[in-house]
Amino acid sequence: MKLLAFETATEACSVALYVDGQVLERFEIAPRRHAELSLPWAEALLAEAGVARSQLDAIALGRGPGAFTGVRLAIAIAQGIALALDRPLVPVSTLQVLALRAPTDADQVLSSIDARMGEVYVARQVRVDGQWQLQGEEIVCAPEAVVLPEGTRWFGVGTGFGAAEGLLATRLADQLDGVDAQALPRASDLLTLAVPAFARREGMAPERVEPAYLRNNVALTLVEQQAARAAKAAR
């Protein structure tokens, strides 16, 4: 099995190639350089592995949530390659990919990405029989709106825990066994989820893949910006 994967939903740009059990990856924290790096990295990985594009079985991608431009870029690149090769896409939640950055002994993970504008993207995931399962829905909300079930313990991963001066980590401190606020999603982790998904025949026609934006607003109005600054000053 041979899969090429793109994850560009955050400030990290990552491309990985799976070839019959072996994974090659390029990863860099490169804000605003994702479009410049993604395709050259993909070509470099294919050349390194001695794999032609025509040998790929599918293209995997992080469908978000995350930065709007980054999510759109991953989908556009993946769709372009998949349509040219007549191959399926395997979309994977970026928040699910992020959960794989947690320690291997963590069975309950709260993954969160800084959504800007005073909000965070959040997902609760539980390990069941070695597989991660989403609990509830992925949401975007203010850090103070995130609630965990009483009596449960979690490990927090992602930039959402550093947003708003670490408000999310502070609020949930009593239920967190640890936090990695520097964790970013990687294409190699994406393949950990995409390869078995493809084996289960969960690939999709390229034109059917939709981004997971979770919200429609991409910028605050002037009034909303002023309100946000006033609220921050009041804290």
Side-chain angles (χ1 to χ4, degrees):
M1 187 188 301
K2 299 174 178 62
L3 271 70
L4 182 63
F6 297 89
E7 175 52 72
T8 61
T10 66
E11 56 266 43
C13 181
S14 187
V15 181
L17 176 67
Y18 177 92
V19 181
D20 301 327
Q22 180 184 9
V23 175
L24 303 174
E25 184 185 38
R26 297 285 189 277
F27 174 91
E28 184 178 328
I29 298 176
R32 296 177 295 279
R33 296 186 62 211
H34 299 62
E36 171 191 343
L37 297 173
S38 296
L39 280 175
W41 279 358
E43 294 298 339
L45 290 174
L46 289 168
E48 183 179 344
V51 173
R53 282 196 184 194
S54 59
Q55 293 178 281
L56 293 171
D57 295 298
I59 313 299
L61 70 147
R63 60 170 175 77
F68 282 59
T69 54
V71 173
R72 286 197 297 265
L73 177 68
I75 290 180
I77 291 175
Q79 284 179 329
I81 296 174
L83 287 169
L85 298 175
D86 191 23
R87 298 291 189 274
L89 291 185
V90 185
V92 179
S93 162
T94 297
L95 286 170
Q96 287 185 286
V97 174
L98 184 58
L100 273 67
R101 292 285 93 195
T104 56
D105 60 350
D107 289 326
Q108 296 194 120
V109 172
L110 181 68
S111 51
S112 180
I113 296 172
D114 185 355
R116 313 300 180 187
M117 298 190 291
E119 295 182 320
V120 291
Y121 299 115
V122 179
R124 291 185 289 119
Q125 294 167 81
V126 176
R127 197 195 309 267
V128 178
D129 296 328
Q131 303 295 319
W132 286 109
Q133 294 185 4
L134 183 66
Q135 302 294 298
E137 296 182 349
E138 297 179 340
I139 61 172
V140 58
C141 64
E144 52 267 35
V146 179
V147 178
L148 295 174
E150 290 188 17
T152 58
R153 307 290 303 177
W154 302 75
F155 192 93
V157 292
T159 57
F161 287 92
E165 300 177 348
L167 179 59
L168 184 60
T170 301
R171 281 194 62 258
L172 301 178
D174 291 343
Q175 289 181 266
L176 296 174
D177 290 326
V179 170
D180 181 357
Q182 306 301 315
L184 292 164
R186 302 185 67 123
S188 54
D189 291 334
L190 193 159
L191 284 170
T192 300
L193 300 173
V195 168
F198 180 68
R200 295 192 298 267
R201 301 182 182 277
E202 294 177 9
M204 301 174 60
E207 63 272 15
R208 291 183 55 217
V209 174
E210 296 286 344
Y213 290 140
L214 299 190
R215 71 179 177 201
N216 295 320
N217 293 333
V218 297
L220 293 174
T221 66
L222 289 175
V223 173
E224 289 171 330
Q225 291 176 37
Q226 292 169 355
R229 285 194 293 268
K232 183 176 180 180
R235 284 204 294 265

